[in-house]
Amino acid sequence: MDTTQIRSKFAELYGEPGILFTSPGRINLIGEHTDYNGAFVFPGAVDKAMVAEIRLSGTDRVRAYALDLGESAEFGLREEDAPEQSWARYIFGVCREIQKRGGKIGGFDTVFAGDVPLGAGMSSSAALESTFAFALNDLYHLGIEKMELAKIGQATEHNYIGVKCGIMDQFASVFGQAGKLIRLDCKSMEYEYHPFDPKGYRLLLVDSVVKHELASSAYNKRRESCEAAVAAIAKRHPEVKFLRDASFAMLDEVKAEISEEDYKRASYVIGEVDRVLAVCEALDKGDYETVGQKMYETHHGMSKLYEVSCEELDFLNDLAKELGVTGSRVMGGGFGGCTINLIKDELYDRFVAEAKSRYEAKYGRTPKFYDVVISDGSRRL
């Protein structure tokens, strides 16, 4: 991302230059709705990011300017100083969460901007939180571990934005490495890097540009379904604390005791746990055909068993399959947003052209396309 505009705005507002920091958005190759089931996710950082210029001011006030919005905010660092603007609450929340952990910080001046597309499920909010958590840790020499920086971002969402998110987005933003995806165990918080260097293939997000108003209530209902299945299984198998601990055989034992809906939701999750492990193994061998096959299986599960897809996403997935795209699935919580597609180079142009014309003809909207390159996480520029 070009930082010239950030630099010039910072000079105009505050005079002396600051230091540039950045954190990326993320994709998740596979492992959807698995985080709250104690299982694995498989994200990577992308080449689209938030960038902030920051200079410590020696005061107890933060002066912030959101370049993309053309808005400024100023606030103190006590709980009662919370700013009105939602974008400023992310920065304020990070400051407060650092302070709650004993980090001594003061005021600063900042200008920030980003090229993480909004609403495409690449997690621009996590990129923003991670940028400021990483920067303040660096500038104040706080010595906070990287995993704790991710948790600071997550706690900001919970306590200052009101979103009960998992840890994946912030984790991927902080821990990302170019050419690698990260398998994170959401139960133990152990993680490992796997190579992602698909020679002859490209990763493409297709944004359906729809968001159906279902997401939060539907999300909570699906969590409840998973918890109901775990409670039934745990009566027979007390070692099962999350669905990731359960097998299809255990689920079948309780089929008569739970609703048909709960059974379907749980069977999706148990299948998804297996798929993530299969994809890790395939990537280690450079077997991208298997990776693609598992992506299609995940889409089918999210559409038919977990029921978090929508007509537009199913259309894009069917089209990918028809045109011979290696892998495609809905990415993120569902009900709109993007499909993530693993495409052979030689199919790329045709797929983009067909997806654009056919989607426009059917839905009267133009989808957006984002090429994805797996990149590094939070850092000083």
Side-chain angles (χ1 to χ4, degrees), residues 259-326:
S259 72
E260 188 188 345
E261 184 172 278
D262 291 351
Y263 179 82
K264 275 167 50 174
R265 304 296 186 246
S267 60
Y268 161 74
V269 173
I270 293 170
E272 186 73 345
V273 174
D274 293 343
R275 283 188 288 273
V276 176
L277 298 176
V279 164
C280 291
E281 204 174 296
L283 281 181
D284 290 344
K285 295 177 186 157
D287 173 8
Y288 287 89
E289 293 302 310
T290 296
V291 173
Q293 182 193 329
K294 295 295 167 192
M295 290 168 74
Y296 279 117
E297 288 173 18
T298 291
H299 184 88
H300 180 267
M302 286 180 80
S303 177
K304 304 297 181 277
L305 297 173
Y306 223 62
E307 297 180 271
V308 292
S309 187
C310 60
E311 187 194 330
E312 296 90 345
L313 291 168
D314 287 346
F315 176 83
L316 289 168
N317 184 261
D318 289 342
L319 183 62
K321 192 173 272 180
E322 181 196 322
L323 294 173
V325 169
T326 303

Side-chain angles (χ1 to χ4, degrees), residues 24-36 39-47 120-123 166-173 180-186 192 196 203-205 268 272-273 275-277 279-280 283 291 294-296 298-299 302 327-334 338-342 372-375:
R26 62 106 192 99
I27 53 102
N28 184 34
L29 187 70
I30 199 161
E32 217 67 81
H33 291 280
T34 46
D35 52 353
Y36 53 84
F40 303 102
V41 289
F42 203 37
V46 299
D47 55 339
M122 293 166 92
S123 222
I167 192 77
M168 173 176 75
D169 298 354
Q170 294 80 3
F171 172 85
S173 189
K180 290 177 185 169
L181 297 178
I182 323 163
R183 188 181 84 199
L184 171 66
D185 183 330
C186 295
E192 53 185 49
F196 187 79
L203 265 188
L204 177 73
L205 295 190
Y268 161 74
E272 186 73 345
V273 174
R275 283 188 288 273
V276 176
L277 298 176
V279 164
C280 291
L283 281 181
V291 173
K294 295 295 167 192
M295 290 168 74
Y296 279 117
T298 291
H299 184 88
M302 286 180 80
S328 176
R329 70 174 191 85
V330 49
M331 186 182 84
C338 283
T339 61
I340 180 169
N341 302 272
L342 180 66
V372 170
V373 178
I374 303 301
S375 303

Side-chain angles (χ1 to χ4, degrees), residues 89-229:
R89 291 180 72 87
Y90 287 103
I91 302 172
F92 174 77
V94 167
C95 294
R96 291 295 303 154
E97 290 299 333
I98 287 173
Q99 288 173 311
K100 289 177 196 173
R101 288 158 175 78
K104 297 269 185 287
I105 59 170
F108 55 89
D109 297 330
T110 185
V111 172
F112 71 92
D115 60 358
V116 185
L118 298 175
M122 293 166 92
S123 222
S124 52
S125 57
L128 181 61
E129 293 148 4
S130 302
T131 299
F132 282 92
F134 185 92
L136 293 171
N137 186 44
D138 180 294
L139 292 168
Y140 282 103
H141 309 293
L142 300 175
I144 300 171
E145 296 280 321
K146 280 167 83 171
M147 188 64 84
E148 199 56 40
L149 293 178
K151 288 178 180 171
I152 283 167
Q154 182 191 23
T156 296
E157 297 265 2
H158 289 196
N159 299 327
Y160 296 92
I161 309 299
V163 176
K164 296 284 181 224
C165 64
I167 192 77
M168 173 176 75
D169 298 354
Q170 294 80 3
F171 172 85
S173 189
V174 172
F175 281 85
Q177 283 186 16
K180 290 177 185 169
L181 297 178
I182 323 163
R183 188 181 84 199
L184 171 66
D185 183 330
C186 295
K187 187 162 78 166
S188 68
M189 300 310 282
E190 292 169 344
Y191 59 91
E192 53 185 49
Y193 290 91
H194 290 263
F196 187 79
D197 186 21
K199 297 265 189 294
Y201 297 86
R202 288 159 77 167
L203 265 188
L204 177 73
L205 295 190
V206 183
D207 186 351
S208 67
V209 297
V210 295
K211 201 79 193 141
H212 292 284
E213 287 305 318
L214 262 170
S216 52
S217 59
Y219 175 86
N220 293 340
K221 273 192 70 181
R222 278 153 186 76
R223 287 192 77 146
E224 286 157 19
S225 278
C226 294
E227 284 156 13

